[in-house]
């Protein structure tokens, strides 16, 4: 019953900005860390940024200083503000959340379906 819905992807020129959002919905008992990962064709899914329940953050070195992750606890939503975008940022971006559903006694990993971000040269 829990799902993550992403939005905000698209096509931008190098140097531009995009803001991704991901909202968790359903029968959620506890929502812990959330984050963003990205994947290009034929490659593993790589961490972009994470944010814990105490708002501590971690970023991939390649995006530090350019991307900012944030969350709205009341809305069960995580955001990724992407500035100074580069062509190498082109990827499918996936939202992640560690969630304990009301119906379960343990945490489960949840993933969004992905949103395409394309940065032109």
């Amino acid at each position: 019953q829990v799902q993550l819905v992403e939005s905000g992807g698209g096509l931008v020129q190098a140097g531009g900005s995009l803001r991704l959002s991901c909202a968790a919905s359903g029968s959620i008992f506890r929502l812990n860390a959330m984050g963003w990962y990205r994947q290009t064709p034929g490659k593993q899914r790589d961490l972009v940024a994470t944010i814990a329940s105490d708002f501590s953050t971690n970023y991939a070195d390649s995006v530090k200083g350019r991307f900012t992750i944030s969350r709205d606890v009341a809305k069960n939503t995580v955001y990724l503000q992407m500035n100074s975008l580069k062509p190498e940022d082109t990827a499918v971006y996936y939202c992640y959340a560690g969630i304990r559903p009301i119906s379960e006694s343990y945490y489960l990993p949840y993933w969004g379906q992905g949103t395409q971000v394309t940065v032109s040269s």
Side-chain angles (χ1 to χ4, degrees), residues 18-72:
L18 284 174
R19 186 174 186 249
L20 306 182
S21 64
C22 173
S25 62
S27 301
I28 299 171
F29 177 77
R30 183 175 176 84
L31 176 61
N32 290 318
M34 303 184 77
W36 293 92
Y37 293 71
R38 65 188 182 187
Q39 185 173 215
T40 54
K43 301 179 69 175
Q44 286 287 117
R45 192 172 298 181
D46 296 324
L47 181 147
V48 177
T50 60
I51 183 166
S53 58
D54 66 355
F55 300 100
S56 62
T57 58
N58 289 294
Y59 295 92
D61 288 341
S62 59
V63 307
K64 286 181 179 178
R66 299 188 298 119
F67 291 10
T68 302
I69 190 169
S70 61
R71 67 190 294 170
D72 185 328

Side-chain angles (χ1 to χ4, degrees), residues 49-98:
T50 60
I51 183 166
S53 58
D54 66 355
F55 300 100
S56 62
T57 58
N58 289 294
Y59 295 92
D61 288 341
S62 59
V63 307
K64 286 181 179 178
R66 299 188 298 119
F67 291 10
T68 302
I69 190 169
S70 61
R71 67 190 294 170
D72 185 328
V73 176
K75 295 181 178 180
N76 289 336
T77 300
V78 63
Y79 305 93
L80 185 68
Q81 178 66 47
M82 304 185 293
N83 298 327
S84 301
L85 282 162
K86 304 175 180 179
E88 50 263 46
D89 295 318
T90 296
V92 177
Y93 284 70
Y94 295 89
C95 176
Y96 166 85

